[in-house]
């Protein structure tokens, strides 16, 4: 019998682009409420994993299930409706609209029937937008056009737009790319806050940021899971040092470290 708390399962998924295997029999799973970080060298299959989950790419073989339901053949819009939200690396906001207008366009009807009965839908949506503005730290810029926000602020706005869809699982691709150290730190705080109510799958290269947010890391290499474990286990695994951190395995031969578990 499967884990009742499992929210996402990727079973033996292979994705071929011509003769190249972007994913090669990949197995991956997450529990509800988990914040998981996925790292790996360029070409490891990280973004392809997100593409398969959201229905943008269909696997050559294998299966993906969300809360026990198969996602096979479902279009991207239907996958999103089931409760999976995705934030891309490059912010995708309506630059000519204000921060507030961007969020209003993104908000979905509340799932809680009681809330909908107690308050008019417009009032519920307005309250939700106010909550999101506060969470992403953009209340003071609610009436500012999105196009003149800083890069980091645009990233936070897009996170807010995904939040407005109220997904159960967030897929977030390199959220701190191009950010200043302070923006990166603020983003980590935001994702940790989101993880109290949602499951998050985060793709990232910045190891300083990874150390800030991660409890469990999955390392991909050549479309497969290389290893999985805590930050310390992953950083000290000789295989990760060799293929991801660019160091030679022999450098640590005289001082062996714990090896993270391959799953």
């Amino acid at each position: 019998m499967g884990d009742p708390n499992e929210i996402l399962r990727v079973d033996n998924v292979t994705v071929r682009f011509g003769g190249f295997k972007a994913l090669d029999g990949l197995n991956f799973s997450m529990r509800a409420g988990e914040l998981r970080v996925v790292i790996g060298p360029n070409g490891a299959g990280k973004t392809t994993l997100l593409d398969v989950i959201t229905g943008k790419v269909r696997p050559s073989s294998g299966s993906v299930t969300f809360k026990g339901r198969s996602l096979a053949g479902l279009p991207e819009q239907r996958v999103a409706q089931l409760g999976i939200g995705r934030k891309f690396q490059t912010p995708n906001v309506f630059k000519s609209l204000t921060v507030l207008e961007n969020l209003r366009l993104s908000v979905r009807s509340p799932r809680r029937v009681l809330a909908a009965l107690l308050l008019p839908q417009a009032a519920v949506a307005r309250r939700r937008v106010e909550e999101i503005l506060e969470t992403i730290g953009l209340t003071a810029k609610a009436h500012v056009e999105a196009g003149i926000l800083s890069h980091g602020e645009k990233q936070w706005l897009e996170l807010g737009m995904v939040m407005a869809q109220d997904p159960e699982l967030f897929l977030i691709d390199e959220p701190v790319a191009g950010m200043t150290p302070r923006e990166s730190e603020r983003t980590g705080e935001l994702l940790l806050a989101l993880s109290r109510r949602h499951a998050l799958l985060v793709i990232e290269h910045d190891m300083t940021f990874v150390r800030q947010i991660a409890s469990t890391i999955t390392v991909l290499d050549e479309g497969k899971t290389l290893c999985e474990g805590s930050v310390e286990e992953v950083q000290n695994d000789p295989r990760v040092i060799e293929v991801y951190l660019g160091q030679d395995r022999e450098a640590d031969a005289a001082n062996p470290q714990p090896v993270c578990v391959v799953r």
Side-chain angles (χ1 to χ4, degrees), residues 142-199:
H143 300 288
V144 172
E145 285 190 6
I148 64 174
L149 297 175
S150 71
H151 173 70
E153 289 169 338
K154 288 189 181 80
Q155 295 279 32
W156 301 334
L157 173 56
E158 190 182 18
L159 272 173
M161 292 166 70
V162 178
M163 290 172 61
Q165 295 298 309
D166 198 23
E168 293 183 62
L169 172 63
F170 278 77
L171 307 178
I172 305 173
D173 198 353
E174 297 191 33
V176 299
M179 286 190 179
T180 66
R182 181 65 191 101
E183 288 175 333
S184 177
E185 182 181 359
R186 172 72 184 97
T187 301
E189 294 167 355
L190 175 55
L191 295 189
L192 288 170
L194 284 177
S195 71
R196 300 187 188 108
R197 295 179 55 185
H198 309 268

Side-chain angles (χ1 to χ4, degrees), residues 39 205-212 214-219 226-249 251-252 255-261:
I39 67 173
H205 283 293
D206 186 324
M207 290 306 296
T208 299
F209 178 73
V210 171
R211 284 190 290 270
Q212 178 187 355
S215 56
T216 302
I217 299 175
T218 298
V219 185
L226 180 67
C227 74
E228 192 169 277
S230 68
V231 175
E232 293 77 14
E233 289 170 332
V234 166
Q235 284 186 312
N236 291 321
D237 189 294
R239 294 164 298 176
V240 179
I241 293 171
E242 182 177 2
V243 306
Y244 184 66
L245 301 178
Q247 300 179 26
D248 191 272
R249 186 190 301 263
D252 291 324
N255 183 27
Q257 300 290 339
V259 175
C260 62
V261 178

Side-chain angles (χ1 to χ4, degrees), residues 68-79:
R69 173 172 180 166
S70 173
L71 300 182
L74 296 183
E76 292 179 73
Q77 182 178 5
R78 180 59 183 143
V79 172

Side-chain angles (χ1 to χ4, degrees), residues 6-17:
E6 185 176 80
I7 191 170
L8 177 71
R9 173 165 289 276
V10 175
D11 275 320
N12 200 32
V13 165
T14 295
V15 174
R16 292 184 178 88
F17 297 117

